[in-house]
Amino acid sequence: MHYEASVPTVRDRVVQATLKRLLEPIFEPLFSAHSYGFRPGRSQRQAVEAAREIVTGGKAYVVDIDLAKFFDRIHHDRLIARLSQQVSDKRILRLIGLILRSGILAGGVVSPSTEGAVQGSPLSPLLSNIVLDELDKELERRGLEFCRFADDCNLFVKTPKAAERVMASISNYIEKRLKLVVNREKSQVARSERVKFLGMTIVSGAIAISHQALQSAMLKVKELTPRGTHQTLETTLEQINTWYVGWSNYFGMTYYPAQLHKIEAHIRRRLRSRLVDQQKSKRNLFNKLIKRSVSRRSAAKAVFSNNKRWALSNTFAVTRAYPNRWFINEMGQVIRSDKQLAHWFDVRQWIRLA
């Protein structure tokens, strides 16, 4: 079996999915309670909440260990040896060995794989947990509190001195015992509010969306609402909603709703800017605002200024013409009238914009 550009074929995916179903009941009961990634009944939200509870308990310093190219550096022999402790059937072990060493087919040339596991394969997440369970057991043996989601692992201690000591000793264990590589540049020791864990951070005992995640969201909104596009507003709203429903469902775990409101306000302003830009002249924009119940004085003050579209999008006249409820009532009605688009428009998400 070979993987074209690291993607397993359909046949291989079926084999790997079957192996996963066979192996998971064996290894799942053995995994640490502090491991949350790729496990039935466990989630990122649970991992972040567990981290919050540890920090609230007094361990506010985090040892954030980053494993460099973890999936690419899984040691095959160590993994098979670990599997053999629970799996006695040599045929199963041989089949997993074949999967791990199958190589990658690219451009008609097969490159051998002497280490690592293919990302995106049904079996790889389980294998990664088996590899890192050895780390979990070592951390438990040392009495350390931690949360791990796949290869994203945070350890929690009370003091910066203890954090530095744990960073050194655990990094040494990972590299010498597990044969993995710690990314020294990305790993860090810091207070919880300065550490990102699964896109979130713990601030004063509360869960908040990390600064990096917020910045990425702002850039995504900009990408979905480009300037100078001929795309209809309905299509733009469809794309925004598809992204934002998923994004807000995950990041809705934040204890600070204002973080979500900030993204929603940015979406509205980008859309108002689009509406302003769609008017071919200042006179057209002026007339449009008048039709939308804006006073002539307010409309003239906004339109016949030197403000460009972005500044205009935040003026009293434009926000009055296109208030928050407009995105629910009028645009929502337009979209709901189209049966092809009705399935994606979730009014509950946009109610927050009111």
Side-chain angles (χ1 to χ4, degrees), residues 261-311:
H261 298 162
K262 179 179 180 180
I263 300 300
E264 292 160 358
H266 190 57
I267 292 172
R268 294 195 302 270
R269 187 171 180 185
R270 294 284 301 186
L271 292 173
R272 288 188 183 109
S273 179
R274 165 83 67 83
L275 291 165
V276 168
D277 194 50
Q278 286 178 344
Q279 306 306 312
K280 295 181 179 179
S281 67
K282 289 188 175 183
R283 175 58 63 179
N284 284 358
L285 177 59
F286 175 78
N287 292 333
K288 186 73 171 180
L289 296 179
I290 297 298
K291 288 181 181 179
R292 298 200 57 77
S293 303
V294 177
S295 69
R296 297 180 67 86
R297 182 177 179 180
S298 294
K301 182 179 178 181
V303 174
F304 300 113
S305 65
N306 292 324
N307 289 335
K308 302 298 183 183
R309 56 175 259 177
W310 184 244

Side-chain angles (χ1 to χ4, degrees), residues 241-256:
N241 198 73
T242 299
W243 165 75
Y244 186 69
V245 168
W247 189 90
S248 62
N249 280 344
Y250 176 75
F251 286 101
M253 75 175 82
T254 179
Y255 284 26
Y256 301 97

Side-chain angles (χ1 to χ4, degrees), residues 66-112:
D66 183 270
L67 299 179
K69 298 181 179 179
F70 165 69
F71 278 93
D72 295 336
R73 290 195 165 112
I74 290 176
H75 194 281
H76 291 171
D77 292 339
R78 283 189 55 78
L79 174 54
I80 295 297
R82 192 81 177 171
L83 285 163
S84 65
Q85 293 175 9
Q86 304 297 329
V87 179
S88 58
D89 193 326
K90 302 296 184 183
R91 295 170 299 176
I92 297 294
L93 297 175
R94 182 174 179 275
L95 182 56
I96 294 173
L98 288 173
I99 291 171
L100 291 171
R101 300 183 178 90
S102 59
I104 298 172
L105 177 63
V109 178
V110 177
S111 301

Side-chain angles (χ1 to χ4, degrees), residues 8-295:
T9 63
V10 173
R11 182 191 63 180
D12 293 344
R13 290 182 68 85
V14 170
V15 171
Q16 291 182 36
T18 303
L19 285 171
K20 178 179 179 292
R21 292 185 63 181
L22 290 172
L23 296 175
E24 193 168 65
I26 298 172
F27 286 94
E28 178 61 29
L30 306 177
F31 288 152
S32 168
H34 305 287
S35 166
Y36 294 88
F38 310 123
R39 297 183 61 189
R42 291 185 162 241
S43 66
Q44 292 165 304
R45 186 182 294 265
Q46 291 174 332
V48 175
E49 184 59 38
R52 186 198 67 80
E53 291 179 3
I54 295 172
V55 172
T56 304
K59 297 188 175 181
Y61 286 89
V62 182
V63 178
D64 181 17
I65 297 178
D66 183 270
L67 299 179
K69 298 181 179 179
F70 165 69
F71 278 93
D72 295 336
R73 290 195 165 112
I74 290 176
H75 194 281
H76 291 171
D77 292 339
R78 283 189 55 78
L79 174 54
I80 295 297
R82 192 81 177 171
L83 285 163
S84 65
Q85 293 175 9
Q86 304 297 329
V87 179
S88 58
D89 193 326
K90 302 296 184 183
R91 295 170 299 176
I92 297 294
L93 297 175
R94 182 174 179 275
L95 182 56
I96 294 173
L98 288 173
I99 291 171
L100 291 171
R101 300 183 178 90
S102 59
I104 298 172
L105 177 63
V109 178
V110 177
S111 301
S113 48
T114 57
E115 62 178 3
V118 177
Q119 294 190 55
S121 116
L123 187 60
S124 290
L126 176 60
L127 296 181
S128 71
N129 272 334
I130 293 171
V131 170
L132 291 175
D133 184 62
E134 191 172 355
L135 172 62
D136 296 343
K137 295 298 190 289
E138 178 65 18
L139 296 176
E140 291 174 343
R141 188 186 69 79
R142 298 187 187 193
L144 294 169
E145 291 201 71
F146 67 97
C147 290
R148 182 177 67 79
F149 192 96
D151 58 333
D152 197 347
C153 184
N154 280 0
L155 293 75
F156 302 87
V157 295
K158 291 184 176 180
T159 66
K161 185 175 181 180
E164 293 289 354
R165 183 175 65 250
V166 169
M167 171 66 85
S169 63
I170 295 302
S171 296
N172 184 61
Y173 175 85
I174 289 172
E175 294 188 330
K176 291 191 174 179
R177 183 65 181 271
L178 302 185
K179 308 301 180 184
L180 299 171
V181 177
V182 175
N183 188 327
R184 307 284 176 172
E185 293 182 0
K186 292 185 178 181
S187 299
Q188 62 173 325
V189 168
R191 287 189 63 87
S192 64
E193 59 264 24
R194 300 181 63 86
V195 177
K196 175 173 65 73
F197 181 50
L198 302 176
M200 311 302 291
T201 190
I202 312 300
V203 181
S204 302
I207 298 171
I209 304 172
S210 70
H211 175 72
Q212 298 96 316
L214 283 174
Q215 290 300 108
S216 295
M218 297 289 268
L219 290 173
K220 183 64 176 181
V221 172
K222 185 176 181 180
E223 175 189 323
L224 292 171
T225 54
R227 298 182 62 177
T229 180
H230 297 292
Q231 190 177 70
T232 65
L233 193 59
E234 289 83 356
T235 300
T236 298
L237 276 169
E238 177 185 5
Q239 293 176 349
I240 290 173
N241 198 73
T242 299
W243 165 75
Y244 186 69
V245 168
W247 189 90
S248 62
N249 280 344
Y250 176 75
F251 286 101
M253 75 175 82
T254 179
Y255 284 26
Y256 301 97
Q259 293 186 299
L260 296 176
H261 298 162
K262 179 179 180 180
I263 300 300
E264 292 160 358
H266 190 57
I267 292 172
R268 294 195 302 270
R269 187 171 180 185
R270 294 284 301 186
L271 292 173
R272 288 188 183 109
S273 179
R274 165 83 67 83
L275 291 165
V276 168
D277 194 50
Q278 286 178 344
Q279 306 306 312
K280 295 181 179 179
S281 67
K282 289 188 175 183
R283 175 58 63 179
N284 284 358
L285 177 59
F286 175 78
N287 292 333
K288 186 73 171 180
L289 296 179
I290 297 298
K291 288 181 181 179
R292 298 200 57 77
S293 303
V294 177
S295 69

